[in-house]
Amino acid sequence: MNFQIAVLLGQDGVTNGAIYALLALSILLVFTVTRILLIPQGEFVTFGALTMAAIQAGKPTALGWLLLALVLIDCALDLRQMWKTGKQAGAMNYGEIKWSAIKIGYTAILLVLLHSLTLADIPMLAQALLTLALVVPFGPILYRLFFQPIASAHSLVLLIVSIALHVAMVGIGLLLFGPEGARTAPFSDSGFHLGPVMLKSQTLWVILVSIALIVMLFIAFERTLYGKALRATAVNRMGARLMGISPVFAGKATFTMATFIGALSGILIAPITTLYFDSGFIISLKGFVGAIIGGLASYPVAAIGAVAVGMVEAFSMFWASNYKEVIVFTLIIPFLLWRSLTSRHVEEEE
Amino acid sequence: MLSKTTLSALILSTTFLSSLAHADIKIGVVTSSTGPIALVGIPQKNTVALLPETVAGEKITYIPLDDSSDPTATVKAFKKLIDEDHVDAIIGPSGSPNAMGVIQFAAESGTPMLAPVGTAAVVLPMTEQKKWVFKTTQNDDLIAAALVDQMKQSGVKTLGLMGTADPYGENWAKVMKGLTEKAGIKIVASETFQRQDTSLTGQSLKMLMASPDAVLIAAPGSSSVMPETTLKDQGYAGTVYQTHGAALDAFLKLGGKQVEGTILAASLMLVLDEVPDSASKTIASQYVSDYKQRYGENPATFGGNVYDAGLLLANAIPTALKGGQPGTAEFRAALRDALEQTHELAGTQGVYNITPADHSGFDERGRELITVKGGKWALLK
């Protein structure tokens, strides 16, 4: 092992670590606000990457139709709810109709765009935006359909539903994108020389966007009212509710953010790796290890832990490629031990 | 209430009678059309529709099942086919570990099993149980021998191996160790990786440090691409060899310019236009055009393995019918014996000559050395 190899491995570790950090943060965010361990987080990554790949191949992905189907179910549920509460109150509140119209209209516009544009030829930024516009709405809709009705259930129930959703999404991923791995074109082909080592520009993109996202998350949570509302929900759900913060809003907002981060991570790493319909789980699991290192509570520790996971992974891949996954996932044991010894047990709020 | 019972009894008896009346030949097909090895299973499942429908005046019913790449589910599927459907033979499963787990069930019930899997372990070494198993892919060592010969000719002295950490990669590592020793080629580095790994920097750096003359990548499907592109990214200049696991159009699409010049040995299906006419070429062309007409895309070679299983059965059934009625143990035993007598049968993957000792039965015919030229498969000349 010489300096050059250490730098190359380090570069690799930081790139992967940055993605794991983003996933760790979104897993943590969703968990603290809604008590849901977001197992399908990895699927958002693969959906983002594979949609981008499909768009670059010029294929209007069937994901749009899936979105339309889910939006229609969502709107039907909302309108039924409106009808019921309206009947009880004796006066209809027609706000939901407007919202439903907006949602269906948005999906319709997306579908028209997907089928009318020559997808392979539009600029890459537009392709990325289209991918995000397509994947991100799945977050709030999945929350609405699968978690909102059981929001107050035991966290074990939430976990089981989360696992079920993960399994279903892997299957849907296979159906939509096929069994082949996919890879997208890099944002730019250029590289930078740092001494004897070549740094790929895609690596810099990953690191810069990750840092930018983390800073944005920080600002959003420290400076904006909505961010503070989410933080309040994370600290004390019941208290936040009494203060008039809607748990439905909090759930949908965190899911939107988690999906956005997941899909963006997918778009970022798709040019440097081959992703399959079922790649997401193992990626999000490593983010999860980071989140565990942060005790599922501390954002900075989780981010640092996730970067550490990336580094350990890179170097163990060099020294003992056979045991790479074993080493990475064994990391979780000392931290769990340490956590269980140092923190006192808090009864779960029901 | 009474009428309900009579009705169900009536329905039951009619189904029984009808099933007795037409004792169709029933063949179960177990593929992994979902789950991690769906890549292999989907073309195999699609191929079921192209298998022969009648043989010697007997109608053949195919019962396709999916095992979602899970060996436990494969066992369940086999038990269901054997105990409930009383099939006469089973084609499948798609994966090597899946196949290893069901051999005993096929043997216990005396049902011939035609496995389109890669590993030679399903038929070698031949045992009492494996007598019931036939394998419709070329053994790894047959393909490997072609590659090693080519390496020797082009003056390769040192070789690096990069394989997946699964039975596919492990079997290749084993086969190559034996063959390279004989050929005087030294394996200087051996690295493994997982199909879903997002980065292979560590493995390929280690490979570069050993600087072998050539690198062989043994990985199934699209996972064979990333080791090669990572090596090229880091400036590896030697020749890269691939196994027949890479023989997919997706390999060319994902690899792009970086896989130019790759050498692999695989079935003739990839370079149909360039190989000289042969019985296998005719059958493979027929299969490819039928598949393309039905599904609008070229079949992966994995599908050809199931197609060949159908051909083997169609060839053996007329002889087996003399031994007993379909649906009976005698018929299955006769079918097994007839399969073992297969002589000079051309399939999409080559020519089968099955003997009691060799239940795969391939020779060099049908195995071609192929390279990537101008983003397309081309015969290596």
Side-chain angles (χ1 to χ4, degrees):
Chain A
M1 159 146 294
N2 57 28
F3 174 70
Q4 186 177 353
I5 287 178
V7 172
L8 277 174
L9 288 176
Q11 175 191 350
D12 208 68
V14 172
T15 319
N16 282 338
I19 296 296
Y20 299 154
L22 284 179
L23 298 182
L25 291 185
S26 44
I27 289 172
L28 202 52
L29 177 70
V30 172
F31 180 75
T32 48
V33 174
T34 63
R35 294 176 307 137
I36 298 165
L37 265 182
L38 194 57
I39 314 282
Q41 177 69 35
E43 272 60 64
F44 296 136
V45 177
T46 46
F47 274 40
L50 296 174
T51 307
M52 182 79 174
I55 287 180
Q56 286 193 348
K59 280 182 275 187
T61 148
L63 198 65
W65 295 109
L66 180 67
L67 183 64
L68 182 67
L70 289 180
V71 163
L72 288 180
I73 298 174
D74 175 33
C75 291
L77 285 175
D78 277 351
L79 291 177
R80 187 166 149 258
Q81 183 69 28
M82 180 198 88
W83 183 257
K84 260 165 114 183
T85 47
K87 231 179 182 176
Q88 271 168 12
M92 285 289 177
N93 172 11
Y94 291 103
E96 284 300 334
I97 295 182
K98 198 179 84 192
W99 269 110
S100 300
I102 291 176
K103 281 189 271 192
I104 294 173
Y106 171 83
T107 320
I109 291 173
L110 264 186
L111 277 172
V112 169
L113 279 180
L114 272 179
H115 288 271
S116 62
L117 291 172
T118 41
L119 294 168
D121 299 336
I122 57 177
M124 195 173 287
L125 184 66
Q127 292 174 339
L129 286 178
L130 196 56
T131 306
L132 286 174
L134 202 55
V135 178
V136 173
F138 277 95
I141 289 181
L142 291 177
Y143 180 79
R144 166 70 184 87
L145 294 181
F146 300 107
F147 292 108
Q148 192 177 310
I150 53 163
S152 54
H154 194 274
S155 54
L156 202 59
V157 177
L158 296 175
L159 175 67
I160 292 169
V161 173
S162 176
I163 293 173
L165 189 59
H166 153 72
V167 174
M169 282 179 74
V170 171
I172 288 171
L174 174 63
L175 210 62
L176 291 179
F177 305 110
E180 298 285 350
R183 186 165 201 181
T184 60
F187 297 172
S188 73
D189 275 323
S190 56
F192 302 90
H193 285 279
L194 191 84
V197 184
M198 163 110 159
L199 286 182
K200 277 194 268 176
S201 59
Q202 189 67 31
T203 313
L204 292 179
W205 268 105
V206 172
I207 296 169
L208 287 179
V209 173
S210 305
I211 292 176
L213 262 179
I214 290 173
V215 170
M216 265 162 58
L217 277 178
F218 179 77
I219 293 174
F221 277 79
E222 289 295 318
R223 299 273 180 269
T224 67
L225 189 62
Y226 284 115
K228 284 178 180 164
L230 286 186
R231 257 174 69 208
T233 319
V235 173
N236 188 332
R237 251 183 309 278
M238 186 54 83
R241 219 172 150 178
L242 291 174
M243 292 296 119
I245 298 168
S246 150
V248 171
F249 160 76
K252 280 188 180 169
T254 47
F255 264 67
T256 311
M257 265 190 241
T259 325
F260 174 73
I261 292 174
L264 190 62
S265 307
I267 294 173
L268 283 174
I269 57 169
I272 46 179
T273 183
T274 313
L275 285 171
Y276 303 84
F277 68 96
D278 59 348
S279 293
F281 184 59
I282 207 88
I283 300 176
S284 71
L285 212 53
K286 284 170 190 160
F288 184 69
V289 173
I292 290 283
I293 292 175
L296 276 177
S298 160
Y299 288 83
V301 181
I304 295 167
V307 175
V309 169
M311 293 301 253
V312 169
E313 189 188 11
F315 282 89
S316 59
M317 164 165 79
F318 180 76
W319 274 308
S321 57
N322 285 344
Y323 300 105
K324 192 191 85 177
E325 308 291 18
V326 178
I327 294 171
V328 169
F329 290 116
T330 311
L331 267 187
I332 211 169
I333 295 174
F335 280 100
L336 282 179
L337 270 179
W338 174 61
R339 285 273 162 202
S340 67
L341 290 178
T342 53
S343 65
R344 72 200 161 77
H345 186 66
V346 186
E347 280 302 322
E348 200 197 336
E349 147 193 20
E350 285 296 327
Chain B
M1 190 65 211
L2 186 74
S3 65
K4 222 176 186 179
T5 340
T6 356
L7 198 68
S8 47
L10 207 69
I11 291 169
L12 255 178
S13 55
T14 33
T15 42
F16 247 96
L17 282 174
S18 64
S19 71
L20 278 178
H22 321 80
D24 290 348
I25 298 173
K26 279 197 238 170
I27 293 170
V29 186
V30 181
T31 56
S32 302
S33 42
T34 58
I37 53 169
L39 175 80
V40 176
I42 288 176
Q44 296 187 336
K45 187 197 78 183
N46 288 347
T47 302
V48 173
L50 305 174
L51 294 177
E53 280 165 11
T54 49
V55 172
E58 299 282 334
K59 198 167 162 290
I60 303 184
T61 316
Y62 295 95
I63 306 170
L65 289 179
D66 172 35
D67 66 11
S68 58
S69 310
D70 172 14
T72 326
T74 314
V75 172
K76 275 190 212 143
F78 262 63
K79 284 192 164 162
K80 180 183 179 296
L81 288 171
I82 291 168
D83 297 335
E84 289 176 25
D85 298 317
H86 305 288
V87 292
D88 297 303
I90 299 176
I91 301 175
S94 305
S96 301
N98 309 52
M100 293 305 290
V102 288
I103 291 175
Q104 53 162 321
F105 299 106
E108 274 167 20
S109 62
T111 312
M113 157 180 167
L114 293 98
V117 300
T119 179
V122 291
V123 288
L124 289 173
M126 185 49 73
T127 62
E128 196 54 35
Q129 287 191 336
K130 289 177 188 169
K131 262 173 55 187
W132 293 92
V133 186
F134 297 87
K135 178 160 127 22
T136 58
T137 61
Q138 283 120 334
N139 286 344
D140 291 340
D141 48 356
L142 194 73
I143 303 274
L147 288 177
V148 172
D149 283 347
Q150 211 282 334
M151 287 175 195
K152 216 169 144 187
Q153 272 172 31
S154 48
V156 172
K157 291 271 174 296
T158 50
L159 179 72
L161 281 182
M162 263 177 112
T164 40
D166 61 16
Y168 186 87
E170 276 158 24
N171 196 47
W172 265 90
K174 210 171 74 193
V175 168
M176 284 307 283
K177 217 174 139 204
L179 285 172
T180 48
E181 247 169 46
K182 272 185 234 152
I185 297 171
K186 207 170 148 224
I187 295 181
V188 287
S190 184
E191 292 293 318
T192 61
F193 62 97
Q194 309 279 341
R195 184 180 68 99
Q196 297 170 327
D197 277 357
T198 48
S199 159
L200 299 171
T201 314
Q203 286 97 327
S204 69
L205 280 175
K206 221 163 169 191
M207 197 56 73
L208 283 179
M209 279 169 72
S211 72
D213 295 337
V215 173
L216 172 73
I217 295 162
S222 345
S223 54
S224 56
V225 180
M226 211 168 51
E228 184 162 353
T229 53
T230 315
L231 276 171
K232 293 277 167 73
D233 273 343
Q234 288 170 350
Y236 181 69
T239 319
V240 177
Y241 289 84
Q242 290 273 4
T243 65
H244 52 318
L248 295 165
D249 286 342
F251 176 79
L252 299 176
K253 205 175 74 195
L254 284 170
K257 273 178 250 144
Q258 283 169 311
V259 296
E260 195 72 18
T262 311
I263 296 173
L264 69 155
S267 106
L268 62 123
M269 261 173 69
L270 288 186
V271 282
L272 272 180
D273 299 336
E274 293 184 54
V275 293
D277 283 332
S278 66
S280 288
K281 183 182 171 175
T282 319
I283 290 172
S285 314
Q286 180 65 38
Y287 168 61
V288 171
S289 73
D290 283 355
Y291 192 99
K292 218 171 166 179
Q293 201 187 351
R294 200 175 171 101
Y295 299 107
E297 57 182 16
N298 274 325
T301 48
F302 311 117
N305 302 127
V306 164
Y307 193 71
D308 280 6
L311 294 178
L312 280 171
L313 283 171
N315 183 54
I317 284 171
T319 324
L321 280 171
K322 290 174 202 151
Q325 273 297 310
T328 62
E330 292 79 37
F331 176 72
R332 294 198 294 270
L335 189 60
R336 193 209 76 86
D337 293 343
L339 280 169
E340 208 167 57
Q341 304 297 323
T342 306
H343 177 66
E344 283 292 309
L345 176 77
T348 60
Q349 309 288 309
V351 182
Y352 293 84
N353 272 305
I354 296 177
T355 63
D358 181 4
H359 272 200
S360 175
F362 281 106
D363 49 26
E364 310 74 63
R365 286 173 290 177
R367 170 196 78 179
E368 302 289 345
L369 276 172
I370 295 166
T371 184
V372 181
K373 212 157 84 187
K376 286 206 169 69
W377 302 113
L379 212 53
L380 185 70
K381 286 180 187 127

